[in-house]
Amino acid sequence: MSRCRMLSPFRRREATPPPAANAAASPVEGLATLLLRQGLCDQVALDRARRVAAETGQRLDAVLLQLGQVTERALAEAFAALLGLPLATPADYPAEPVLPERLPARFLRGSRALPLGETADGALLVALADPLDPFVGQAIALATGLRVQPLVAVPIELEAGFERLYADSAEAGAEAAPGEAASEDDAERLKDLASEAPVIRLVNQLIHRAVESRASDIHVEPFEDRLRVRFRHDGVLQEVASPPKGLSAAIVSRIKIMARLDIAQRRLPQDGRIKLAVRGQEVDFRVSTVPALHGEAVVLRVLDRTAVAFDYATLGLAPAIVRRLGAALEHPNGVVLVTGPTGSGKTTTLYTALLGLNQVTRKVITIEDPVEYQLAGINQIQVRPQIGLDFAALLRAILRQDPDVIMVGEIRDVETARIAAQAALTGHLVLSTVHTNSAAATITRLRDMGLEDYLLASVLRGVLAQRLVRRLCVACRRAEVAPPALVAHYRLAERAAGQPVRFWHAVGCAQCRNTGYRGRMAIAEFLQPDAALERLVFARAEEAEIERAALAAGMVPMLEAGLDAVLAGETSLEEVLRITRAEPV
């Protein structure tokens, strides 16, 4: 028999095994009361969970977790406080299996229990995911001949510890070679793996952590020696604690099952959607899988309606920009464009504009790829190129629906551009996006697509070019007097109205995940066509000449909008230069 690790006794008091699960009504109700008192759950959510528990026969705490009303950690902490038990931390898990010849890995996995070591007085410390189940502790005591001292485990941490200690016992199996389709037997094996409780909990916890930390994307990337998981916070990817490589196939298969994708097909990209209740709110996830060298890479786009505010002030757009955009949207017809690279907030700005235009007296229709957020009172249509429903085909069709306002997700080709322009000429207000780097470049981009000059000059009402910069965390940002060279280079003294020019810098704290930034805001420039610009369009002027004319007409360039945000302490100069690609001094 191998010796188990000796641990110092915990400072918390020991507790006898908790009551049986089928007699656990009192502890569970005590848990519910505790969650209410701590503000981790409200009465409405609790009543809903009780109804579901009565209908399904599940325990109340399990239902609360499945409905997303509480997190696994909050539930574990509540159990520990209620039962007077210690809470196991990642540092408590041993470096090697404890008593492996007496406690098989299969039994421990099924019991959701993990022995941590032996105390000086001969008790065996055991981390339990379900502290209300007495049979696990009794079985371990009988198998080892030791008195069991239970601890409450956070399930995701227990699973990580188990996979590290018993990696060889994982039933992940070998994946098919890259480029090969899974056989029917292999597909069934993957389905079985993805249906195991530990994998389901692991994926659910991963998704819940992303939503709770306000991540916009989850990236699951298999490599030769590891499985990497990254969250995108405020436009920047950050690596998080990743599951073992052996679970790669099971995790990907679980996500594909949730998104109703074909788990047997691993040679072709697939797209799907998932809808889950997280924190009591319905959250959508857009799922994309692509075959990579060492397995399938998966990206989940988090579409949390509660985390997005369709409001210009919240977006950070300057009041002058909002006024000029609002004036363009007041036209009964024409084309208003929002431009910028992928991830620059174009769709959010258009949704905000649509909500302002959405009235009972107007019919608003959108054509999107994909539909990201559902807007009440607006007809939204999903593009389906595989059956011939592309932007151009749908745009032709909806013109027969007598709309007042049309939003086209993106103008990608000359056919879509021409139909949009013709729709504007026939009395419709058309909103859309184009991928360009500046407002002036949008005009030359449409011209290069093949859109006729007379159409462009006749229908264009305005072009908003924007970027998203990270906001400084107000809890830890630090101000310093700006270097004179930078003040002179960017002519900041005149903006400061005689006051010392200060730059705010990112520091990092617990509230911002030690990044120094928390949230994002938009900086933008708005080009409003006038007679001089129309003449330049007909003269087929280059981008630089069009931009000079727009600046002369009052357009504030994006860099200057960013500098205003820097002086206001909302973001840093480094962030503005990074996003606008301006050259530092």
Side-chain angles (χ1 to χ4, degrees), residues 3-15 86 92 94 98-99 114-127 144-151:
R3 293 175 61 84
C4 57
R5 187 168 66 127
M6 300 292 291
L7 299 180
S8 59
F10 283 82
R11 284 177 290 184
R12 301 178 182 86
R13 66 178 178 86
E14 295 182 13
D92 297 325
V98 174
L99 302 176
L114 195 63
L116 306 180
E118 191 177 347
T119 64
D121 59 356
L124 182 64
L125 296 170
V126 180
T144 61
L146 298 173
R147 179 170 53 88
V148 171
Q149 184 172 324
L151 293 83

Side-chain angles (χ1 to χ4, degrees), residues 357-369:
L357 294 169
N358 186 24
Q359 299 176 7
V360 177
T361 55
R362 288 194 183 105
K363 179 162 185 174
V364 182
I365 301 180
T366 73
I367 305 171
E368 303 175 60
D369 183 22

